[in-house]
């Protein structure tokens, strides 16, 4: 079944709750797990399922996403035939909602006609899971489904398998049918299509709010969850960066945390995630927090239940104590000083 499925990733997702982290990037490019971006999971799932042609449909702030994915080399998608494609949304308005907007697809309909793959898998960009789409296709063909919706614990994961020819028909007939996306078709009991469900068993988290992002990040600190998500036989790929190992001084203490390359740790880190090139000063305690790339935290600080975006600077003596149900979020490039908290 190699090269029988076309990958389609809707990267237009946006949630108001995540606004502080989406000012300079799309949701698909949101960092997670120390070195990954949200899109890495669905894209790796497709590559591990022998999908060699993937189309990404972005809308908001997608420069960071394109910089992360590049030519697709890290996913073996830099090919002369098929490979990785970007199709930005040409000025769609707020009414174009739902994963896999047919209006968005319609602007690039020729891509679907040029594709040789018989089937297409349409997915959102913000579901963290490790799934093989080949068994989904096998069951889809065996039962004779028109559309297969992938679910977890009975809830839709907003991933749909459909024949490419049927997808083209749905796009072209959208004005007559009123369908705006795959969800509309699946939920219409009178559509006339045979809709099947495929239950995925395993680690699944959908990041659609600050709380979901924060809690998902903490769950990745659990060894069993990590092993369930990051499997040797189906690895999660990401952009490779050449950076030195993290340096831990004699003052440092780290427990149950993810620490990426290039960090410099002098303080105490507990139950937290540190992205690349983060600096933690002396006598500083960090717990239950997510610290993104190149953030600098001074000496004698206390950070609990905090999310720092990229390039944040925390000056000496700062205390930031958030609530696990309402973590403090510091936007990219901000400076937080002790005098600001007094």
């Amino acid at each position: 079944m190699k090269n029988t499925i076309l990958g389609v990733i809707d990267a237009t997702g946006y949630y108001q709750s995540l606004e502080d982290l989406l000012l300079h990037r799309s949701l698909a490019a949101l960092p997670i797990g120390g070195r990954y971006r949200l899109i890495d999971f669905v894209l790796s799932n497709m590559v591990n399922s022998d999908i060699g042609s993937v189309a990404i449909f972005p809308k908001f702030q997608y420069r960071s996403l394109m910089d992360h994915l590049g030519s697709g080399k890290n996913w073996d998608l830099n090919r002369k035939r098929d490979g990785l494609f970007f199709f930005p949304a040409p000025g769609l308005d707020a009414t174009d909602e739902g994963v896999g907007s047919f209006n968005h697809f319609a602007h690039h309909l020729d891509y679907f006609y040029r594709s040789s793959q018989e089937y297409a898998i349409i997915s959102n960009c913000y579901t963290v899971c490790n799934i093989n789409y080949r068994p989904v296709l096998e069951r889809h063909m065996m039962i004779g489904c028109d559309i297969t919706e992938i679910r977890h614990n009975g809830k839709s994961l907003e991933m749909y398998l459909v024949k490419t020819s049927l997808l083209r028909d749905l796009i072209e007939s959208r004005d007559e049918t009123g369908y705006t996306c795959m969800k509309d078709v699946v939920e219409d009991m009178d559509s006339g299509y045979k809709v099947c469900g495929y239950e995925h068993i395993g680690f699944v988290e959908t990041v659609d709010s600050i709380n979901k992002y924060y809690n998902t990040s903490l769950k990745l600190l659990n060894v069993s969850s990590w092993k369930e998500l990051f499997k040797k036989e189906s690895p999660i790929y990401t952009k490779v960066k050449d950076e030195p190992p993290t340096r831990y001084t004699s003052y440092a203490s780290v427990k149950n945390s993810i620490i990426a390359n290039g960090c410099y740790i002098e303080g105490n880190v507990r139950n937290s995630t540190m992205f690349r090139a983060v600096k933690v000063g002396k006598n500083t305690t960090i717990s239950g927090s997510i610290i993104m790339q190149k953030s600098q935290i001074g000496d004698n600080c206390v950070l609990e239940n905090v999310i720092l975006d990229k390039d944040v600077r925390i000056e000496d003596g700062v205390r930031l104590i958030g609530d696990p149900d309402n973590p403090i979020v510091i936007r990219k490039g901000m400076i937080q000083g002790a005098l600001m908290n007094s």
Side-chain angles (χ1 to χ4, degrees), residues 15-21 27 30 32 205-220 288 290 305-307 322-329:
Y15 292 95
Q16 193 68 35
S17 169
L18 286 159
E19 179 183 10
D20 287 336
L21 299 178
L27 178 57
L30 183 62
I32 192 168
E205 290 294 335
T206 300
V207 178
D208 54 11
S209 67
I210 284 291
N211 282 342
K212 289 297 290 291
Y213 173 73
Y214 178 74
N215 291 328
T216 299
S217 297
L218 293 185
K219 286 180 180 180
L220 293 183
I290 303 162
N305 309 315
V306 171
I307 301 173
D323 188 292
D325 295 325
N326 188 26
I328 295 173
V329 180

Side-chain angles (χ1 to χ4, degrees), residues 119-341:
Y119 295 89
I121 186 82
I122 304 164
S123 174
N124 67 72
C125 64
Y126 46 81
T127 296
V128 179
C129 67
N130 192 320
I131 181 172
N132 189 332
Y133 294 118
R134 284 173 292 186
V136 182
L137 176 59
E138 291 171 2
R139 186 174 183 275
H140 179 94
M141 296 172 63
M142 181 179 67
I143 299 178
C145 309
D146 293 314
I147 302 169
T148 292
E149 179 184 55
I150 302 176
R151 302 164 184 165
H152 178 69
N153 293 331
K155 182 180 178 181
S156 174
L157 293 183
E158 296 180 303
M159 298 179 185
Y160 308 95
L161 180 68
V162 61
K163 269 196 171 184
T164 307
S165 58
L166 176 55
L167 176 58
R168 292 196 298 260
D169 291 343
L170 290 169
I171 296 169
E172 293 181 312
S173 64
R174 66 193 185 284
D175 291 335
E176 292 77 25
T177 63
Y179 298 143
T180 63
C181 60
M182 291 302 302
K183 182 179 179 182
D184 290 349
V185 185
V186 169
E187 292 185 347
D188 183 5
M189 302 299 292
D190 299 320
S191 68
Y193 299 113
K194 183 176 181 179
V195 178
C196 307
Y198 180 93
E199 185 71 16
H200 171 65
I201 299 173
F203 182 95
V204 173
E205 290 294 335
T206 300
V207 178
D208 54 11
S209 67
I210 284 291
N211 282 342
K212 289 297 290 291
Y213 173 73
Y214 178 74
N215 291 328
T216 299
S217 297
L218 293 185
K219 286 180 180 180
L220 293 183
L221 300 175
N222 184 292
V223 174
S224 60
S225 295
W226 183 271
K227 288 182 177 180
E228 197 172 351
L229 184 60
F230 297 94
K231 304 176 182 179
K232 290 183 179 180
E233 65 274 16
S234 52
I236 304 300
Y237 304 99
T238 190
K239 183 178 181 179
V240 176
K241 292 188 177 181
D242 296 324
E243 290 180 313
T246 288
R247 180 180 175 186
Y248 302 91
T249 69
S250 58
Y251 303 101
S253 174
V254 177
K255 292 185 179 179
N256 193 41
S257 298
I258 297 171
I259 311 293
N261 290 348
C263 295
Y264 184 80
I265 311 294
E266 293 185 278
N268 303 308
V269 180
R270 304 282 185 275
N271 305 316
S272 298
T273 298
M274 304 281 157
F275 286 79
R276 297 180 176 97
V278 168
K279 182 183 181 299
V280 179
K282 293 180 182 178
N283 299 316
T284 285
T285 300
I286 300 175
S287 62
S289 297
I290 303 162
I291 315 297
M292 294 191 195
Q293 300 96 306
K294 299 181 182 179
S295 289
Q296 308 289 304
I297 303 164
D299 300 337
N300 304 304
C301 297
V302 177
L303 275 62
E304 295 181 12
N305 309 315
V306 171
I307 301 173
L308 303 187
D309 205 336
K310 290 179 60 176
D311 299 315
V312 169
R313 194 175 82 198
I314 305 296
E315 297 182 344
D316 296 346
V318 170
R319 292 176 60 88
L320 294 174
I321 312 296
D323 188 292
D325 295 325
N326 188 26
I328 295 173
V329 180
I330 307 296
R331 292 181 175 182
K332 178 182 177 181
M334 298 292 289
I335 299 175
Q336 195 77 12
L339 291 177
M340 299 176 187
N341 297 326

Side-chain angles (χ1 to χ4, degrees), residues 48-62:
N48 291 331
S49 302
D50 293 326
I51 296 176
S53 181
V54 178
I56 297 176
F57 290 80
K59 181 177 180 181
F60 304 103
Q61 304 283 14
Y62 51 83

